[in-house]
Amino acid sequence: IIPKSSRRFIIRIFKRTLTFKNLQRSRCGVVNLTSDPEIFYKTAFKQTSGLRSLRVKLFEKARTVKAPRLRSADANIEFTVNKIEDFGDLRSRVTCEAERIDFQRTLSAGYCRGAFAAIECIIHATRIQQYLSEGRLGHAKNLIALVNHYRDLAERVSPGSKYVSIIRQICSQIDRWRSPNEGLR
């Protein structure tokens, strides 16, 4: 989910998923926010985890759109689909408008993979600096590859965010550390 305004957001979704087919057909849906990894797992893999019998327990009718909503979600965003566009061969870009937002629990913040990526980069950077100072170039090179991976992830899932800014600063610092070790580029 990529917010564009207080009520409008974008979903980049794989075209072959059941969720995408439902959005095309019904032109509405519900974003369910949860901080519970078990609920996230059960709902993300409901087709393969043998949880069909739990659907009645896990879901209820949404209040403003014709779609199910997760009963135990921390928050639900009921939305209508404004536009569906191709976003490459495998994915589509769905522009949505929030119709109703309910908070069942107080959220400290929605989960953002960009935040996770920044934290991982910070941890790796502390080790990269140490490895470079010790001449352990192979270890440093592996961690630099991970930092680059997380930079790409953060730029994709949270473009323009403070997380991307932090990671770019880390990358600049790494470049300064590794300049004497040009073979690491």
Side-chain angles (χ1 to χ4, degrees), residues 17 21 28 37 46 52 63 84 88 114-115 125 133 154 168:
T17 64
K21 290 177 176 90
C28 65
K46 62 185 172 283
R52 292 190 188 276
R63 292 181 172 57
I84 299 176
S133 70
R168 286 181 179 162

Side-chain angles (χ1 to χ4, degrees), residues 41-59:
Y41 172 74
K42 285 179 178 179
T43 57
F45 294 99
K46 62 185 172 283
Q47 286 82 9
T48 59
S49 61
L51 295 170
R52 292 190 188 276
S53 63
L54 291 178
R55 279 193 189 159
V56 174
K57 294 178 187 174
L58 292 175
F59 295 96

Side-chain angles (χ1 to χ4, degrees), residues 21-48:
K21 290 177 176 90
N22 287 339
L23 289 175
Q24 280 185 306
R25 182 184 44 76
S26 67
R27 307 295 288 185
C28 65
V30 179
V31 173
N32 298 292
L33 303 175
T34 181
S35 55
D36 183 338
E38 182 180 22
I39 295 294
F40 183 42
Y41 172 74
K42 285 179 178 179
T43 57
F45 294 99
K46 62 185 172 283
Q47 286 82 9
T48 59

Side-chain angles (χ1 to χ4, degrees), residues 99-135:
E99 301 297 330
R100 180 184 176 106
I101 302 172
D102 291 319
F103 294 93
Q104 279 68 350
R105 292 172 188 79
T106 303
L107 291 176
S108 57
Y111 183 76
C112 176
R113 291 167 62 203
F116 154 79
I119 290 168
E120 287 297 307
C121 287
I122 293 165
I123 293 166
H124 293 325
T126 63
R127 294 178 180 145
I128 291 166
Q129 185 179 25
Q130 184 65 34
Y131 289 156
L132 289 174
S133 70
E134 294 172 359

